[in-house]
Amino acid sequence: AEGVLERHHGENDEYPEEIGVVAWGTPTVRTRGETIAQVLAMMGVEPQWTDAGRIDDVEPIPLEELDRPRVDVTTRVSGLFRDAFPAAAGVIHDAVDAVVDLDEPLEMNYVKKHVEEEQAELEEEEGLDESDARKAAKHRVFTTRPGGYGAGTNKAVDEGNWDDRSDLAEVYVQWGGYAMGSRGRVSDAHASFERRLSSVDATVKIEDTMEQDEFDSSDWYAFHGGFISAVSEISGEEPASYVGDSSDPDNVDVYTNEEKVRKAMRSRVLNPDWLESMEEHGYKGAGDLSTTVDVTLGWDATTGVVSDTLWAEVAEKFAFDDARQEWMRDVNPWALESITDTLLEAIERDLWDADDETIDQLRDLNLEVEGDLEARTTNEAVGVTNDD
């Protein structure tokens, strides 16, 4: 928490008033609640423990000890988190309640500032009474509807069901606009979610293991990239975005999201040793390469962090490399077709400004692989002589 706030202050000469945090269920199990601890720390609140090691209550840290403002936090939790840790969401509600009525100046207590501003807005514009307006203004934990999982953004990208970034932001809001109450009850709160997104200055996601990175699945860009795109579209300004790396608890690092994505691309996605190792896994390995290119598209669609140079290197190593191309044609030509489709989609959506020669080369390869697959299907159909 302090690393994120210090980096933001160092680069912007001020603390963020509100931070958006992504919280997943499995990392919460591994770290015993590290992300929730981060949320409490940003708000300037610490837990009170029972002798049995359970949280009994929370208590504000005095401002003179905190030595910075209380930062407001909006948390987007996964469906698994929603199901498994309703009590943890309750702790965040307790933290809001603990600081929102403190006799502190608004410039030192952004939670109080935002709740009071939103409450006044709801009373005046929506006609809500004081109690209902204050309750709605204190929503800080959002998730998917009961029984739903994911952030939706990756579904839209995979299906090509979007025209621009605003479409992806809209999907993120629609999927994530359900507030978790203090006892884990979930209610429709899309308007509250949008209001919170409109004032987020920065986003952060903690990564607690080196065994996974941003390209392991589309969930990474769906949750964090989707968060970034939603804030950008609703607020009109690109938020700062950070990744806290706590895989070594004694040496915690804070990266910008762009730094972390590009680091993962350099260290794994474009690493010749990793690419060659995938050949040991045959059909599955080629399929994983295809998925990696799909995730690259998702990151660029939601955050714009993949440069033209990186796209060119992906094309060179995943599609144009003669030996890799021959291997994929042999073990999984469908993966090679998908890779070329995705690379062409990146160009068509203006995510990658490729030169004409590269575009022609990709189109030729794509048509060639499609022809091979069509010929294979035709030959296999001709080879069927009976129904046995």
Side-chain angles (χ1 to χ4, degrees), residues 246-309:
S246 63
S247 54
D248 179 358
D250 295 323
N251 186 27
V252 175
D253 287 317
V254 175
Y255 302 89
T256 66
N257 186 64
E258 182 175 359
E259 289 170 350
K260 195 66 170 64
V261 169
R262 292 186 176 185
K263 179 182 179 183
M265 289 196 74
R266 291 293 183 192
S267 62
R268 182 167 74 84
V269 174
L270 298 171
N271 186 328
D273 290 339
W274 179 76
L275 287 164
E276 290 173 11
S277 72
M278 299 307 287
E279 297 184 12
E280 300 173 11
H281 303 281
Y283 179 92
K284 176 65 164 56
D288 286 349
L289 293 186
S290 173
T291 299
T292 299
V293 180
D294 291 341
V295 173
T296 304
L297 178 74
W299 272 117
D300 210 11
T302 54
T303 64
V305 296
V306 183
S307 66
D308 289 344
T309 300

Short mmCIF file of all heavy atoms in Angstrom, two decimals, residues 246-309:
data_model
loop_
_atom_site.label_atom_id
_atom_site.label_comp_id
_atom_site.label_asym_id
_atom_site.label_seq_id
_atom_site.Cartn_x
_atom_site.Cartn_y
_atom_site.Cartn_z
N SER A 246 4.34 -8.94 -4.74
CA SER A 246 4.72 -9.39 -3.41
C SER A 246 5.14 -10.86 -3.42
O SER A 246 5.06 -11.55 -2.41
CB SER A 246 3.55 -9.20 -2.43
OG SER A 246 2.44 -10.00 -2.82
N SER A 247 5.58 -11.34 -4.59
CA SER A 247 6.01 -12.74 -4.68
C SER A 247 7.18 -13.02 -3.74
O SER A 247 7.36 -14.15 -3.27
CB SER A 247 6.40 -13.09 -6.13
OG SER A 247 7.37 -12.18 -6.63
N ASP A 248 8.00 -12.00 -3.46
CA ASP A 248 9.02 -12.08 -2.42
C ASP A 248 8.61 -11.09 -1.33
O ASP A 248 8.85 -9.88 -1.46
CB ASP A 248 10.40 -11.72 -2.98
CG ASP A 248 11.48 -11.76 -1.92
OD1 ASP A 248 11.16 -12.04 -0.74
OD2 ASP A 248 12.65 -11.48 -2.26
N PRO A 249 7.97 -11.57 -0.26
CA PRO A 249 7.44 -10.66 0.76
C PRO A 249 8.49 -9.76 1.40
O PRO A 249 8.16 -8.70 1.94
CB PRO A 249 6.83 -11.61 1.80
CG PRO A 249 6.56 -12.87 1.04
CD PRO A 249 7.66 -12.98 0.03
N ASP A 250 9.75 -10.17 1.34
CA ASP A 250 10.81 -9.35 1.93
C ASP A 250 11.34 -8.30 0.95
O ASP A 250 12.19 -7.49 1.31
CB ASP A 250 11.97 -10.24 2.39
CG ASP A 250 11.56 -11.17 3.51
OD1 ASP A 250 10.76 -10.73 4.36
OD2 ASP A 250 12.02 -12.33 3.52
N ASN A 251 10.85 -8.34 -0.29
CA ASN A 251 11.34 -7.40 -1.30
C ASN A 251 10.20 -7.05 -2.24
O ASN A 251 10.17 -7.45 -3.40
CB ASN A 251 12.51 -8.02 -2.08
CG ASN A 251 13.15 -7.04 -3.04
OD1 ASN A 251 13.12 -5.83 -2.83
ND2 ASN A 251 13.72 -7.57 -4.11
N VAL A 252 9.23 -6.31 -1.72
CA VAL A 252 8.04 -5.97 -2.49
C VAL A 252 8.36 -4.88 -3.50
O VAL A 252 9.00 -3.88 -3.16
CB VAL A 252 6.90 -5.52 -1.55
CG1 VAL A 252 5.69 -5.05 -2.37
CG2 VAL A 252 6.50 -6.67 -0.63
N ASP A 253 7.91 -5.07 -4.74
CA ASP A 253 8.13 -4.09 -5.80
C ASP A 253 6.80 -3.53 -6.26
O ASP A 253 5.77 -4.22 -6.21
CB ASP A 253 8.86 -4.71 -7.00
CG ASP A 253 10.32 -4.99 -6.72
OD1 ASP A 253 10.97 -4.12 -6.11
OD2 ASP A 253 10.81 -6.07 -7.11
N VAL A 254 6.82 -2.31 -6.76
CA VAL A 254 5.64 -1.69 -7.36
C VAL A 254 6.00 -1.25 -8.77
O VAL A 254 6.95 -0.50 -8.96
CB VAL A 254 5.15 -0.48 -6.54
CG1 VAL A 254 4.00 0.22 -7.26
CG2 VAL A 254 4.70 -0.91 -5.15
N TYR A 255 5.27 -1.78 -9.74
CA TYR A 255 5.45 -1.42 -11.13
C TYR A 255 4.22 -0.66 -11.62
O TYR A 255 3.14 -0.77 -11.05
CB TYR A 255 5.58 -2.68 -12.01
CG TYR A 255 6.71 -3.60 -11.65
CD1 TYR A 255 6.56 -4.62 -10.71
CD2 TYR A 255 7.95 -3.47 -12.27
CE1 TYR A 255 7.59 -5.48 -10.41
CE2 TYR A 255 9.00 -4.32 -11.97
CZ TYR A 255 8.82 -5.33 -11.03
OH TYR A 255 9.85 -6.19 -10.73
N THR A 256 4.37 0.10 -12.71
CA THR A 256 3.17 0.53 -13.41
C THR A 256 2.65 -0.69 -14.16
O THR A 256 3.41 -1.63 -14.45
CB THR A 256 3.45 1.66 -14.41
OG1 THR A 256 4.29 1.17 -15.47
CG2 THR A 256 4.11 2.85 -13.72
N ASN A 257 1.37 -0.68 -14.50
CA ASN A 257 0.83 -1.81 -15.24
C ASN A 257 1.55 -1.97 -16.58
O ASN A 257 1.82 -3.09 -17.02
CB ASN A 257 -0.67 -1.62 -15.47
CG ASN A 257 -1.32 -2.82 -16.11
OD1 ASN A 257 -1.37 -3.90 -15.53
ND2 ASN A 257 -1.81 -2.65 -17.33
N GLU A 258 1.87 -0.86 -17.22
CA GLU A 258 2.58 -0.93 -18.50
C GLU A 258 3.94 -1.58 -18.33
O GLU A 258 4.33 -2.45 -19.13
CB GLU A 258 2.74 0.48 -19.08
CG GLU A 258 3.43 0.50 -20.43
CD GLU A 258 3.47 1.89 -21.04
OE1 GLU A 258 2.94 2.84 -20.43
OE2 GLU A 258 4.03 2.03 -22.15
N GLU A 259 4.66 -1.20 -17.29
CA GLU A 259 5.96 -1.82 -17.04
C GLU A 259 5.82 -3.32 -16.83
O GLU A 259 6.61 -4.11 -17.35
CB GLU A 259 6.60 -1.20 -15.79
CG GLU A 259 7.08 0.23 -15.98
CD GLU A 259 7.48 0.88 -14.67
OE1 GLU A 259 7.20 0.30 -13.59
OE2 GLU A 259 8.06 1.98 -14.72
N LYS A 260 4.81 -3.72 -16.06
CA LYS A 260 4.65 -5.14 -15.73
C LYS A 260 4.24 -5.96 -16.94
O LYS A 260 4.75 -7.07 -17.15
CB LYS A 260 3.60 -5.29 -14.62
CG LYS A 260 3.61 -6.65 -13.95
CD LYS A 260 4.89 -6.90 -13.19
CE LYS A 260 4.81 -8.15 -12.31
NZ LYS A 260 4.65 -9.37 -13.09
N VAL A 261 3.34 -5.42 -17.76
CA VAL A 261 2.92 -6.15 -18.97
C VAL A 261 4.09 -6.31 -19.92
O VAL A 261 4.34 -7.40 -20.46
CB VAL A 261 1.75 -5.41 -19.65
CG1 VAL A 261 1.48 -6.02 -21.04
CG2 VAL A 261 0.49 -5.51 -18.81
N ARG A 262 4.83 -5.24 -20.11
CA ARG A 262 5.96 -5.33 -21.05
C ARG A 262 7.08 -6.20 -20.49
O ARG A 262 7.78 -6.88 -21.25
CB ARG A 262 6.47 -3.92 -21.37
CG ARG A 262 5.44 -3.11 -22.17
CD ARG A 262 5.97 -1.78 -22.64
NE ARG A 262 4.99 -1.11 -23.47
CZ ARG A 262 5.20 0.04 -24.11
NH1 ARG A 262 6.38 0.64 -23.98
NH2 ARG A 262 4.26 0.59 -24.84
N LYS A 263 7.24 -6.19 -19.17
CA LYS A 263 8.22 -7.08 -18.56
C LYS A 263 7.84 -8.53 -18.80
O LYS A 263 8.70 -9.37 -19.14
CB LYS A 263 8.31 -6.82 -17.05
CG LYS A 263 9.31 -7.71 -16.34
CD LYS A 263 9.33 -7.45 -14.83
CE LYS A 263 10.30 -8.38 -14.14
NZ LYS A 263 10.31 -8.20 -12.67
N ALA A 264 6.55 -8.87 -18.64
CA ALA A 264 6.09 -10.23 -18.88
C ALA A 264 6.27 -10.63 -20.35
O ALA A 264 6.60 -11.78 -20.66
CB ALA A 264 4.62 -10.36 -18.48
N MET A 265 6.07 -9.67 -21.25
CA MET A 265 6.26 -9.98 -22.66
C MET A 265 7.73 -10.28 -22.95
O MET A 265 8.05 -11.24 -23.66
CB MET A 265 5.79 -8.81 -23.54
CG MET A 265 4.28 -8.64 -23.57
SD MET A 265 3.71 -7.59 -24.93
CE MET A 265 3.92 -8.70 -26.33
N ARG A 266 8.61 -9.46 -22.40
CA ARG A 266 10.04 -9.66 -22.66
C ARG A 266 10.58 -10.94 -21.99
O ARG A 266 11.39 -11.66 -22.57
CB ARG A 266 10.83 -8.45 -22.15
CG ARG A 266 10.60 -7.18 -22.94
CD ARG A 266 11.14 -7.29 -24.33
NE ARG A 266 11.00 -6.06 -25.09
CZ ARG A 266 11.19 -5.97 -26.39
NH1 ARG A 266 11.48 -7.07 -27.07
NH2 ARG A 266 11.06 -4.83 -27.02
N SER A 267 10.13 -11.18 -20.76
CA SER A 267 10.71 -12.29 -20.00
C SER A 267 10.13 -13.65 -20.37
O SER A 267 10.80 -14.67 -20.22
CB SER A 267 10.53 -12.06 -18.49
OG SER A 267 9.16 -12.01 -18.16
N ARG A 268 8.88 -13.66 -20.89
CA ARG A 268 8.29 -14.96 -21.22
C ARG A 268 7.72 -15.02 -22.64
O ARG A 268 8.16 -15.84 -23.44
CB ARG A 268 7.17 -15.31 -20.22
CG ARG A 268 6.56 -16.69 -20.52
CD ARG A 268 5.69 -17.17 -19.39
NE ARG A 268 4.41 -16.49 -19.29
CZ ARG A 268 3.32 -16.82 -20.00
NH1 ARG A 268 3.38 -17.80 -20.87
NH2 ARG A 268 2.20 -16.17 -19.81
N VAL A 269 6.80 -14.15 -22.96
CA VAL A 269 6.09 -14.26 -24.24
C VAL A 269 7.05 -14.25 -25.43
O VAL A 269 6.87 -15.00 -26.38
CB VAL A 269 5.05 -13.11 -24.37
CG1 VAL A 269 4.41 -13.11 -25.74
CG2 VAL A 269 3.99 -13.24 -23.28
N LEU A 270 8.07 -13.40 -25.37
CA LEU A 270 9.02 -13.30 -26.48
C LEU A 270 10.35 -14.01 -26.18
O LEU A 270 11.31 -13.87 -26.94
CB LEU A 270 9.28 -11.83 -26.80
CG LEU A 270 8.05 -11.03 -27.26
CD1 LEU A 270 8.36 -9.55 -27.34
CD2 LEU A 270 7.55 -11.56 -28.60
N ASN A 271 10.38 -14.76 -25.09
CA ASN A 271 11.60 -15.45 -24.69
C ASN A 271 11.79 -16.71 -25.54
O ASN A 271 10.95 -17.62 -25.51
CB ASN A 271 11.49 -15.84 -23.21
CG ASN A 271 12.76 -16.44 -22.66
OD1 ASN A 271 13.51 -17.11 -23.38
ND2 ASN A 271 13.01 -16.22 -21.38
N PRO A 272 12.88 -16.82 -26.31
CA PRO A 272 13.08 -18.00 -27.18
C PRO A 272 13.05 -19.32 -26.42
O PRO A 272 12.54 -20.32 -26.94
CB PRO A 272 14.47 -17.74 -27.78
CG PRO A 272 14.67 -16.26 -27.69
CD PRO A 272 13.95 -15.83 -26.44
N ASP A 273 13.56 -19.34 -25.19
CA ASP A 273 13.57 -20.58 -24.41
C ASP A 273 12.14 -21.03 -24.11
O ASP A 273 11.83 -22.22 -24.19
CB ASP A 273 14.34 -20.39 -23.11
CG ASP A 273 15.84 -20.23 -23.34
OD1 ASP A 273 16.32 -20.64 -24.41
OD2 ASP A 273 16.52 -19.67 -22.46
N TRP A 274 11.28 -20.07 -23.74
CA TRP A 274 9.89 -20.44 -23.46
C TRP A 274 9.18 -20.89 -24.73
O TRP A 274 8.47 -21.89 -24.73
CB TRP A 274 9.15 -19.25 -22.84
CG TRP A 274 7.71 -19.58 -22.55
CD1 TRP A 274 7.24 -20.33 -21.51
CD2 TRP A 274 6.56 -19.19 -23.31
NE1 TRP A 274 5.86 -20.44 -21.58
CE2 TRP A 274 5.42 -19.75 -22.66
CE3 TRP A 274 6.38 -18.43 -24.45
CZ2 TRP A 274 4.13 -19.55 -23.14
CZ3 TRP A 274 5.09 -18.23 -24.93
CH2 TRP A 274 3.98 -18.80 -24.28
N LEU A 275 9.39 -20.16 -25.81
CA LEU A 275 8.74 -20.53 -27.07
C LEU A 275 9.15 -21.93 -27.51
O LEU A 275 8.31 -22.74 -27.92
CB LEU A 275 9.11 -19.51 -28.15
CG LEU A 275 8.44 -18.13 -28.01
CD1 LEU A 275 9.15 -17.10 -28.87
CD2 LEU A 275 6.97 -18.23 -28.40
N GLU A 276 10.43 -22.24 -27.39
CA GLU A 276 10.90 -23.57 -27.78
C GLU A 276 10.36 -24.65 -26.84
O GLU A 276 10.04 -25.76 -27.27
CB GLU A 276 12.43 -23.59 -27.80
CG GLU A 276 13.03 -22.77 -28.93
CD GLU A 276 14.54 -22.67 -28.84
OE1 GLU A 276 15.14 -23.41 -28.01
OE2 GLU A 276 15.12 -21.86 -29.57
N SER A 277 10.23 -24.31 -25.57
CA SER A 277 9.73 -25.31 -24.61
C SER A 277 8.28 -25.70 -24.90
O SER A 277 7.86 -26.81 -24.58
CB SER A 277 9.84 -24.77 -23.18
OG SER A 277 8.87 -23.76 -22.93
N MET A 278 7.52 -24.80 -25.51
CA MET A 278 6.13 -25.11 -25.83
C MET A 278 6.01 -26.21 -26.86
O MET A 278 5.00 -26.91 -26.94
CB MET A 278 5.41 -23.85 -26.32
CG MET A 278 5.36 -22.72 -25.30
SD MET A 278 4.69 -23.23 -23.70
CE MET A 278 2.97 -23.41 -24.12
N GLU A 279 7.07 -26.40 -27.66
CA GLU A 279 7.03 -27.45 -28.68
C GLU A 279 7.02 -28.85 -28.06
O GLU A 279 6.62 -29.81 -28.71
CB GLU A 279 8.22 -27.28 -29.63
CG GLU A 279 8.17 -25.96 -30.40
CD GLU A 279 9.28 -25.83 -31.42
OE1 GLU A 279 9.96 -26.85 -31.70
OE2 GLU A 279 9.47 -24.71 -31.95
N GLU A 280 7.44 -28.94 -26.81
CA GLU A 280 7.41 -30.24 -26.13
C GLU A 280 5.98 -30.68 -25.83
O GLU A 280 5.73 -31.84 -25.52
CB GLU A 280 8.19 -30.15 -24.81
CG GLU A 280 9.66 -29.77 -24.98
CD GLU A 280 10.34 -29.53 -23.65
OE1 GLU A 280 9.73 -29.87 -22.60
OE2 GLU A 280 11.48 -29.02 -23.65
N HIS A 281 5.03 -29.76 -25.93
CA HIS A 281 3.65 -30.05 -25.55
C HIS A 281 2.73 -30.19 -26.76
O HIS A 281 1.50 -30.22 -26.60
CB HIS A 281 3.14 -28.96 -24.61
CG HIS A 281 3.97 -28.80 -23.38
ND1 HIS A 281 3.88 -29.66 -22.30
CD2 HIS A 281 4.95 -27.91 -23.07
CE1 HIS A 281 4.75 -29.29 -21.37
NE2 HIS A 281 5.41 -28.23 -21.82
N GLY A 282 3.31 -30.28 -27.95
CA GLY A 282 2.54 -30.60 -29.14
C GLY A 282 1.33 -29.72 -29.37
O GLY A 282 1.41 -28.50 -29.34
N TYR A 283 0.20 -30.36 -29.60
CA TYR A 283 -1.05 -29.66 -29.91
C TYR A 283 -1.39 -28.62 -28.84
O TYR A 283 -1.73 -27.48 -29.15
CB TYR A 283 -2.18 -30.69 -30.02
CG TYR A 283 -3.55 -30.10 -30.32
CD1 TYR A 283 -3.99 -29.97 -31.63
CD2 TYR A 283 -4.39 -29.69 -29.30
CE1 TYR A 283 -5.24 -29.43 -31.92
CE2 TYR A 283 -5.64 -29.15 -29.57
CZ TYR A 283 -6.06 -29.03 -30.88
OH TYR A 283 -7.29 -28.49 -31.15
N LYS A 284 -1.28 -29.02 -27.57
CA LYS A 284 -1.60 -28.11 -26.46
C LYS A 284 -0.64 -26.92 -26.43
O LYS A 284 -1.04 -25.78 -26.17
CB LYS A 284 -1.53 -28.87 -25.14
CG LYS A 284 -1.75 -28.03 -23.88
CD LYS A 284 -3.16 -27.47 -23.80
CE LYS A 284 -3.52 -26.96 -22.41
NZ LYS A 284 -2.59 -25.94 -21.90
N GLY A 285 0.63 -27.17 -26.68
CA GLY A 285 1.61 -26.09 -26.68
C GLY A 285 1.30 -25.05 -27.74
O GLY A 285 1.36 -23.84 -27.50
N ALA A 286 0.94 -25.51 -28.94
CA ALA A 286 0.58 -24.57 -30.01
C ALA A 286 -0.68 -23.81 -29.65
O ALA A 286 -0.80 -22.61 -29.92
CB ALA A 286 0.38 -25.34 -31.32
N GLY A 287 -1.63 -24.49 -29.03
CA GLY A 287 -2.85 -23.82 -28.60
C GLY A 287 -2.57 -22.75 -27.57
O GLY A 287 -3.19 -21.68 -27.59
N ASP A 288 -1.62 -23.01 -26.67
CA ASP A 288 -1.26 -22.01 -25.66
C ASP A 288 -0.59 -20.79 -26.30
O ASP A 288 -0.77 -19.66 -25.82
CB ASP A 288 -0.33 -22.63 -24.62
CG ASP A 288 -1.07 -23.56 -23.67
OD1 ASP A 288 -2.31 -23.55 -23.69
OD2 ASP A 288 -0.40 -24.30 -22.92
N LEU A 289 0.18 -21.00 -27.36
CA LEU A 289 0.77 -19.87 -28.08
C LEU A 289 -0.34 -19.01 -28.68
O LEU A 289 -0.29 -17.77 -28.63
CB LEU A 289 1.70 -20.36 -29.18
CG LEU A 289 2.99 -21.07 -28.75
CD1 LEU A 289 3.86 -21.35 -29.96
CD2 LEU A 289 3.77 -20.25 -27.74
N SER A 290 -1.34 -19.66 -29.25
CA SER A 290 -2.47 -18.93 -29.81
C SER A 290 -3.20 -18.11 -28.74
O SER A 290 -3.53 -16.94 -28.94
CB SER A 290 -3.45 -19.91 -30.47
OG SER A 290 -4.62 -19.25 -30.89
N THR A 291 -3.41 -18.73 -27.57
CA THR A 291 -4.06 -18.03 -26.47
C THR A 291 -3.25 -16.83 -26.01
O THR A 291 -3.80 -15.77 -25.69
CB THR A 291 -4.27 -19.00 -25.28
OG1 THR A 291 -5.12 -20.07 -25.70
CG2 THR A 291 -4.90 -18.28 -24.10
N THR A 292 -1.94 -16.96 -26.00
CA THR A 292 -1.06 -15.86 -25.59
C THR A 292 -1.23 -14.66 -26.52
O THR A 292 -1.26 -13.51 -26.06
CB THR A 292 0.40 -16.33 -25.58
OG1 THR A 292 0.55 -17.41 -24.65
CG2 THR A 292 1.33 -15.20 -25.19
N VAL A 293 -1.34 -14.91 -27.81
CA VAL A 293 -1.54 -13.81 -28.76
C VAL A 293 -2.91 -13.17 -28.55
O VAL A 293 -3.07 -11.95 -28.63
CB VAL A 293 -1.37 -14.29 -30.21
CG1 VAL A 293 -1.59 -13.15 -31.19
CG2 VAL A 293 0.02 -14.88 -30.42
N ASP A 294 -3.91 -14.00 -28.23
CA ASP A 294 -5.24 -13.46 -27.93
C ASP A 294 -5.19 -12.53 -26.71
O ASP A 294 -5.82 -11.47 -26.70
CB ASP A 294 -6.23 -14.60 -27.63
CG ASP A 294 -6.56 -15.43 -28.87
OD1 ASP A 294 -6.34 -14.93 -29.98
OD2 ASP A 294 -7.04 -16.57 -28.70
N VAL A 295 -4.44 -12.94 -25.68
CA VAL A 295 -4.33 -12.12 -24.47
C VAL A 295 -3.58 -10.82 -24.76
O VAL A 295 -3.92 -9.76 -24.22
CB VAL A 295 -3.64 -12.92 -23.35
CG1 VAL A 295 -3.36 -12.03 -22.13
CG2 VAL A 295 -4.50 -14.11 -22.93
N THR A 296 -2.59 -10.90 -25.64
CA THR A 296 -1.88 -9.68 -26.04
C THR A 296 -2.84 -8.68 -26.66
O THR A 296 -2.80 -7.47 -26.36
CB THR A 296 -0.76 -10.03 -27.05
OG1 THR A 296 0.12 -11.00 -26.49
CG2 THR A 296 0.05 -8.79 -27.42
N LEU A 297 -3.73 -9.17 -27.51
CA LEU A 297 -4.76 -8.30 -28.10
C LEU A 297 -5.64 -7.69 -27.02
O LEU A 297 -5.96 -6.49 -27.07
CB LEU A 297 -5.61 -9.09 -29.09
CG LEU A 297 -6.76 -8.32 -29.75
CD1 LEU A 297 -6.21 -7.36 -30.80
CD2 LEU A 297 -7.77 -9.26 -30.38
N GLY A 298 -6.03 -8.49 -26.03
CA GLY A 298 -6.88 -8.00 -24.95
C GLY A 298 -6.23 -6.89 -24.15
O GLY A 298 -6.88 -5.89 -23.80
N TRP A 299 -4.95 -7.06 -23.84
CA TRP A 299 -4.23 -6.02 -23.09
C TRP A 299 -4.17 -4.72 -23.89
O TRP A 299 -4.34 -3.63 -23.35
CB TRP A 299 -2.82 -6.48 -22.73
CG TRP A 299 -2.73 -7.24 -21.45
CD1 TRP A 299 -2.35 -8.54 -21.26
CD2 TRP A 299 -3.04 -6.74 -20.13
NE1 TRP A 299 -2.40 -8.87 -19.93
CE2 TRP A 299 -2.82 -7.79 -19.22
CE3 TRP A 299 -3.48 -5.51 -19.65
CZ2 TRP A 299 -3.04 -7.65 -17.84
CZ3 TRP A 299 -3.70 -5.36 -18.28
CH2 TRP A 299 -3.47 -6.42 -17.40
N ASP A 300 -3.91 -4.84 -25.19
CA ASP A 300 -3.81 -3.63 -25.99
C ASP A 300 -5.17 -2.97 -26.18
O ASP A 300 -5.29 -1.75 -26.18
CB ASP A 300 -3.19 -3.96 -27.35
CG ASP A 300 -2.40 -2.80 -27.93
OD1 ASP A 300 -2.14 -1.83 -27.19
OD2 ASP A 300 -2.03 -2.86 -29.12
N ALA A 301 -6.22 -3.79 -26.31
CA ALA A 301 -7.56 -3.25 -26.48
C ALA A 301 -8.02 -2.48 -25.26
O ALA A 301 -8.68 -1.43 -25.38
CB ALA A 301 -8.54 -4.38 -26.79
N THR A 302 -7.68 -2.96 -24.07
CA THR A 302 -8.16 -2.33 -22.84
C THR A 302 -7.24 -1.24 -22.32
O THR A 302 -7.70 -0.29 -21.68
CB THR A 302 -8.36 -3.37 -21.72
OG1 THR A 302 -7.14 -4.11 -21.54
CG2 THR A 302 -9.49 -4.33 -22.06
N THR A 303 -5.94 -1.35 -22.58
CA THR A 303 -5.00 -0.40 -21.97
C THR A 303 -4.04 0.26 -22.95
O THR A 303 -3.38 1.23 -22.59
CB THR A 303 -4.15 -1.11 -20.88
OG1 THR A 303 -3.34 -2.12 -21.50
CG2 THR A 303 -5.04 -1.74 -19.82
N GLY A 304 -3.91 -0.28 -24.16
CA GLY A 304 -3.00 0.32 -25.14
C GLY A 304 -1.54 0.22 -24.79
O GLY A 304 -0.73 1.05 -25.23
N VAL A 305 -1.14 -0.82 -24.05
CA VAL A 305 0.24 -0.88 -23.56
C VAL A 305 1.17 -1.68 -24.48
O VAL A 305 2.38 -1.74 -24.22
CB VAL A 305 0.31 -1.50 -22.14
CG1 VAL A 305 -0.42 -0.63 -21.14
CG2 VAL A 305 -0.25 -2.92 -22.14
N VAL A 306 0.64 -2.28 -25.54
CA VAL A 306 1.49 -3.08 -26.44
C VAL A 306 1.91 -2.20 -27.61
O VAL A 306 1.08 -1.78 -28.42
CB VAL A 306 0.75 -4.33 -26.94
CG1 VAL A 306 1.68 -5.18 -27.81
CG2 VAL A 306 0.22 -5.15 -25.76
N SER A 307 3.20 -1.95 -27.71
CA SER A 307 3.72 -1.05 -28.75
C SER A 307 3.76 -1.74 -30.10
O SER A 307 3.67 -2.98 -30.21
CB SER A 307 5.13 -0.58 -28.38
OG SER A 307 6.03 -1.68 -28.40
N ASP A 308 3.92 -0.95 -31.16
CA ASP A 308 4.06 -1.52 -32.51
C ASP A 308 5.28 -2.43 -32.58
O ASP A 308 5.26 -3.46 -33.26
CB ASP A 308 4.20 -0.39 -33.54
CG ASP A 308 2.90 0.37 -33.76
OD1 ASP A 308 1.84 -0.14 -33.36
OD2 ASP A 308 2.95 1.48 -34.33
N THR A 309 6.33 -2.05 -31.88
CA THR A 309 7.55 -2.88 -31.88
C THR A 309 7.28 -4.24 -31.27
O THR A 309 7.73 -5.28 -31.80
CB THR A 309 8.67 -2.18 -31.09
OG1 THR A 309 8.97 -0.92 -31.70
CG2 THR A 309 9.92 -3.03 -31.05
#
